[in-house]
Amino acid sequence: MIYEFLANLFGSDIIASFISGALPFVFVVPFALFAVWLERKVSAHMQDRLGPMRVGYHGWLQTVADILKLIQKEDITATDTDKKLFNIAPVLVFMGSYAAFAAIPFSSAYIGSGIDLGILYIVAVSGLVVAGILMAGWASNNKYSLYGAVRSAAQVVSYEIPTVIVILTVVVVVGSLNLTKITEFQTSRFWDWMIFGGSIAGIKKLILLPFMVIGFIIIYISSLAETNRTPFDIPEAESELVGGYHTEYSGMKFAMFFLAEYANMFAVSAIAATLFLGGYHSPFGYFGNLTGMIWLVPIEQFFWFTAKGIFFVFVQMWLRWTLPRLRVDQLMTLCWKYLIPIAFVNFLIVALIMVL
Amino acid sequence: MKSSEEIFAILKEKFGDAVLQLNTKLPKEAVIEIAPLKVTEICWFLRDNEELQFDNLILLTGLDDDNGEKVKLEDGTTETKGGTLSVVYHLESMKLGNRIVLRTATGRENPEVETVSKVWACADWHEREAYDMFGIKFLNHPDLRRILMPYDWEAGYPLRKDYKNPEFYHGMKVPY
Amino acid sequence: MLKTEQMVLNMGPQHPSTHGVLRLELELEGEVIINVKPHLGYLHRCFEKHCEAMTYPQIIPYVDRLDYLASMNNEMGYAIAVERLLDIKVPERVEYIRIIMAELQRIASHMVAVGTYGIDIGAFTPFLYLFRDRERILTLFEKTCGARLLYNYIWVGGLSHDLPINFVNETRDFLKDFKKTVIEVNNLLSYNKIFIERTANVGVLPVDSAINYGITGPNLRASGLKWDIRRNDPYSIYDRFDFEIPVGEGKHGQVGDCWDRYFLRVQEMVQSIRIIEQALDQLPEGEITSALPKRIKPVEGQIYSRVENPKGELGFFIVSKGQLQPFRVKVRPPSFINLSVLGELCKGHLIADVVAILGSIDIVLGEVDR
């Protein structure tokens, strides 16, 4: 809708595409800055501290100041690094997590690209992040970076399997890979959300409910692993590998990794919310519909979508500052011995229920 | 619990001349003096004997006895010639509560003592430290390197009484 | 021909979890440790050489800098060694204050050990909870002697200052609050499933091997041997207090694993609370210095005197030739000796376990390198 609106306004598809494509960027960068600030505040309050307090009210400009500092910093490249790969890697990582935003429906009025393969596209394009991380680790010519990168690749690739199986579960229920359709399948009443069995009538919904909850838990755990967050942050395990794959990076290139991490956090939270928690739908109807101000509905939807995303980002932070870190073999055990079999059985059962 | 006299008697009977004497003249601690090249044998016996069971080496200390002849050098400093370096072993039996102190002295010019690192594993690093600080060579030690000083420290052994700091180390001025 | 090579990874001297300037040379097969070679000496400050040039009381500030997380215990160990050499007794009040200080310091030292161990495993928050409470101990010390880390408080034959006004009440308040923190840390960290997964059955140290390596203190007790200098070779007035000596039980794995070593420190903190409470109850009035000659000059002789430090058995071997300066002072540094077992424990484990094992041994590089 926004795209059509822009196309009408400027009378040119090209300008409309550019503006429409830049919109997620306008969202992602401020969000990443906000999330970094939030992370510091959340961790501080959990640990009986205040966190940043000096720059702006309760330090809300702190990350802006940090980014300004990082931009001004000298761009250090060690002599023995593979310069080309070293420079491409942070861009690739950021691109991978940013590209995922193209297919995420922020509201019924705005989606970067409403392709029918939406969810498949997101899964595929986040795979690019692995390539970027491996590239960073290898090009740094540092053993810690290499370990971090290899661990990360193994971890992300492994945890994509349970994620994809759970996505399949949802796809089987909805019958579409299009994220807008998946969202529309769940309505603006919270008991119609996928985690409660979707907008299916009758006894089937009740039978479906427990399996959907299991699916949601699995996808949330795997999304933690895919974004390298605690308890699965072994690729950048500070106490073992110093900084993991971004040990050798400094200045703006480091900031790129940093922004990518937070963008990625929101992306996976948004996907989990879209698949299971009604996406952009409000839990209890729309104020706009009630008062007849239809134009208010997309704005409300955007609000609900962001709220859900930020809530899950908050949960990720909560976990990070509470839990210790798993070891590399335990991480793989969790994935291959528990998550994948459970996800698979879960998928089979859901498929059977849908056939019956 | 056995007193140092009793343990000395047991050792004297078993090893004869290798166990030199029991020194009770000094206050606080009685010291059994042993020969430097019999240390391993005596320590195996002390550890494995049913009556003694010295399973814990508390401390191994290198010591410069400072009993040599002091020679004045041209630049005004003195250097010690002759005399001895000692190694002191504090042993304890955790099961029986016995404690003794062994001491062995070796010539300053070529200080050689047998290692006990096979008897008690902790002696490994203790002996490396004694080598680092006094230059006492522990025969049959598996890995006798410097431990606290830099590996390429060539100015001698710092805890000897006649040690002199070098002027430069890798171009850096040492005395400040 | 296919052939594989072992990779050598240098861990430290600049590394977040080597607890100081320790350098470990790890030989790796993939992520599995084949061999560990520790390289020491980056913090070598010639303590023993310094001692030979100073009078007996002058050494005390240097003793502070050995295990800088347990300065009070170091001072107490050294003061007791010199007092034994001189054959002097200190007043009752001094003994009690020394014990209160030593046990408070033991709690503070174990707080750092437990907290940083959490960081090694990846849990950041318990560390800050413990540091918040450690701050209160340091404040108590600061009120007593003006310093927060290196106190120069326990002197040969006495103390530098008497206790400040209200010290007893403030200490009681702290102990009351600290009991809650222990429960909090247990819930957050000790019984956490992931934490147990990471530490149970990792780096198992059997008791025979522990004795052979000369391991002392919490690490030895975690292997299952009830051995505490405070009981087995009592010094000061520890025989007057009622406290238990916790030993490793292997609750979540084998006896002597990392979890046992970690949890033993938590239990020891609770026992230290008990000792302090009893000492506060019995604290007598009196002098805080004993009659000492102006110039401390022991007769010719030698002594080995030991105390139970938070890290293990701290001993001072002092050789006197009847001069104002000691002829030789040799420290038995518990961290140094405990560290020597690291190579043995790490073989066959993963890189992440090296961090877990090193943290559970709890070393302070100031003491390892002296």
Side-chain angles (χ1 to χ4, degrees), chain A residues 7-44:
Chain A
N8 286 336
L9 190 69
F10 294 106
S12 153
D13 282 354
I14 297 168
I15 295 174
S17 306
F18 265 110
I19 294 176
S20 179
L23 272 179
F25 195 72
V26 176
F27 175 76
V28 167
V29 171
F31 173 78
L33 293 180
F34 168 74
V36 173
W37 174 80
L38 186 72
E39 170 110 60
R40 296 176 71 170
K41 278 310 219 190
V42 165
S43 68

Side-chain angles (χ1 to χ4, degrees), chain A residues 66-79 86-87 248-255:
Chain A
D66 282 348
I67 292 289
L68 279 178
K69 182 201 74 179
L70 284 174
I71 291 171
Q72 290 170 39
K73 267 190 150 181
E74 186 194 347
D75 181 28
I76 300 166
T77 318
T79 333
F86 189 78
N87 289 332
E248 293 286 335
Y249 284 89
S250 66
M252 203 51 214
K253 282 183 216 152
F254 171 70

Side-chain angles (χ1 to χ4, degrees), chain A residues 274-310:
Chain A
T274 310
L275 291 178
F276 282 97
L277 291 175
Y280 48 70
H281 280 306
S282 148
F284 10 73
Y286 293 107
F287 190 66
N289 282 343
L290 215 66
T291 51
M293 293 187 282
I294 301 297
W295 54 271
L296 205 60
V297 171
I299 296 168
E300 273 184 74
Q301 286 174 336
F302 180 73
F303 165 76
W304 282 112
F305 189 75
T306 322
K308 283 171 192 168
I310 288 175

Side-chain angles (χ1 to χ4, degrees), chain B residues 26-31 47 55-66 88 90 92-95 99 101 103 117-123 125-126 128-129 133-134 143 145 147-149 151 157-163 176, chain C residues 23 37-42 44 48-50 52 84-87 211-216 220 225 227 232-233 299-306 313 315-317 319 321 326-328 330-333 336-337 339-340 368-370:
Chain B
L26 293 173
K28 306 300 174 197
E29 276 181 354
V31 180
R47 199 193 84 172
D55 47 8
N56 183 16
L57 171 68
I58 304 176
L59 186 62
L60 186 153
T61 314
L63 205 57
D64 183 354
D65 295 325
D66 201 24
V88 183
H90 285 80
E92 181 185 37
S93 164
M94 281 181 155
K95 292 195 190 81
R99 272 176 73 180
V101 184
R103 176 173 181 148
S117 59
K118 299 206 175 55
V119 189
W120 299 286
C122 61
W125 282 21
H126 279 312
R128 275 177 70 187
E129 195 188 325
M133 295 297 165
F134 295 94
D143 181 27
R145 287 175 295 139
I147 187 166
L148 294 177
M149 301 293 286
Y151 295 128
Y157 303 101
L159 275 181
R160 287 192 182 187
K161 293 283 179 186
D162 61 345
Y163 169 78
Y176 53 89
Chain C
R23 184 175 137 221
K37 237 191 209 170
H39 296 273
L40 320 173
Y42 291 90
H44 182 52
E48 285 166 11
K49 189 77 178 173
H50 273 307
E52 291 172 13
R84 280 182 180 163
L85 194 61
L86 291 166
D87 266 329
I211 294 173
N212 200 246
Y213 270 94
I215 308 294
T216 44
L220 177 63
L225 186 69
W227 180 266
N232 295 64
D233 187 9
V299 289
E300 199 174 333
Q302 63 181 46
I303 191 163
Y304 175 78
S305 153
R306 54 186 182 172
E313 173 185 332
F316 286 96
F317 176 52
V319 182
K321 292 262 157 142
F327 181 74
R328 171 96 165 94
K330 164 84 183 173
V331 197
R332 183 204 190 274
F336 176 78
I337 295 161
L339 182 63
S340 67
V368 175
D369 293 345
R370 276 155 294 148

Side-chain angles (χ1 to χ4, degrees), chain A residues 89-102 121-132 260 263-264 267:
Chain A
V91 182
L92 201 63
V93 170
F94 184 71
M95 199 185 80
S97 43
Y98 176 56
F101 280 84
Y121 161 78
I122 289 175
V123 170
V125 93
S126 4
L128 266 184
V129 176
V130 184
N264 220 350

Side-chain angles (χ1 to χ4, degrees), chain C residues 183-227:
Chain C
I183 296 169
E184 202 174 28
V185 168
N186 273 341
N187 289 338
L188 199 55
L189 194 61
S190 310
Y191 303 131
N192 184 301
K193 181 83 173 95
I194 297 176
F195 183 74
I196 292 171
E197 284 284 311
R198 277 295 305 273
T199 53
N201 287 327
V202 171
V204 179
L205 179 62
V207 69
D208 303 345
S209 157
I211 294 173
N212 200 246
Y213 270 94
I215 308 294
T216 44
N219 298 325
L220 177 63
R221 291 194 281 279
S223 293
L225 186 69
K226 216 171 214 165
W227 180 266

Side-chain angles (χ1 to χ4, degrees), chain C residues 154-173:
Chain C
I154 297 173
W155 285 353
V156 177
L159 304 165
S160 73
H161 302 75
D162 204 343
L163 293 179
I165 310 162
N166 226 3
F167 178 87
V168 175
N169 289 335
E170 279 171 39
T171 312
R172 278 189 212 280
D173 284 349

Side-chain angles (χ1 to χ4, degrees), chain C residues 13-218:
Chain C
Q14 293 95 1
H15 188 279
S17 55
T18 49
H19 294 241
V21 280
L22 172 66
R23 184 175 137 221
L24 299 173
E25 208 179 299
L26 309 177
E27 276 171 39
L28 300 164
E29 188 82 70
E31 279 215 30
V32 180
I33 313 282
I34 303 296
N35 201 3
V36 181
K37 237 191 209 170
H39 296 273
L40 320 173
Y42 291 90
L43 200 61
H44 182 52
R45 291 148 301 165
C46 323
F47 170 75
E48 285 166 11
K49 189 77 178 173
H50 273 307
C51 289
E52 291 172 13
M54 284 181 298
T55 63
Y56 286 91
Q58 279 177 338
I59 292 172
I60 286 180
Y62 288 81
V63 171
D64 277 341
R65 286 149 177 85
L66 287 177
D67 177 354
Y68 40 77
L69 294 175
S71 299
M72 286 287 186
N73 302 72
N74 298 342
E75 285 169 9
M76 188 167 170
Y78 177 75
I80 286 175
V82 178
E83 282 156 12
R84 280 182 180 163
L85 194 61
L86 291 166
D87 266 329
I88 52 172
K89 272 196 80 67
V90 292
E92 279 285 277
R93 186 173 171 82
V94 173
E95 297 277 25
Y96 276 98
I97 295 177
R98 278 183 182 179
I99 280 189
I100 293 169
M101 292 302 170
E103 293 304 316
L104 278 175
Q105 185 75 83
R106 191 186 309 279
I107 294 178
S109 171
H110 281 340
M111 276 177 178
V112 178
V114 167
T116 49
Y117 195 47
I119 293 192
D120 288 343
I121 303 296
F124 202 93
T125 305
F127 170 75
L128 284 153
Y129 287 175
L130 286 165
F131 259 55
R132 177 190 63 196
D133 281 19
R134 180 171 177 264
E135 194 66 24
R136 293 181 66 183
I137 297 183
L138 297 189
T139 312
L140 285 172
F141 286 157
E142 192 183 3
K143 281 180 182 168
T144 312
C145 62
R148 292 168 59 80
L149 194 67
L150 308 162
Y151 312 103
N152 191 11
Y153 179 63
I154 297 173
W155 285 353
V156 177
L159 304 165
S160 73
H161 302 75
D162 204 343
L163 293 179
I165 310 162
N166 226 3
F167 178 87
V168 175
N169 289 335
E170 279 171 39
T171 312
R172 278 189 212 280
D173 284 349
F174 161 72
L175 293 177
K176 216 171 86 195
D177 294 344
F178 179 58
K179 282 176 192 162
K180 288 179 206 145
T181 311
V182 173
I183 296 169
E184 202 174 28
V185 168
N186 273 341
N187 289 338
L188 199 55
L189 194 61
S190 310
Y191 303 131
N192 184 301
K193 181 83 173 95
I194 297 176
F195 183 74
I196 292 171
E197 284 284 311
R198 277 295 305 273
T199 53
N201 287 327
V202 171
V204 179
L205 179 62
V207 69
D208 303 345
S209 157
I211 294 173
N212 200 246
Y213 270 94
I215 308 294
T216 44

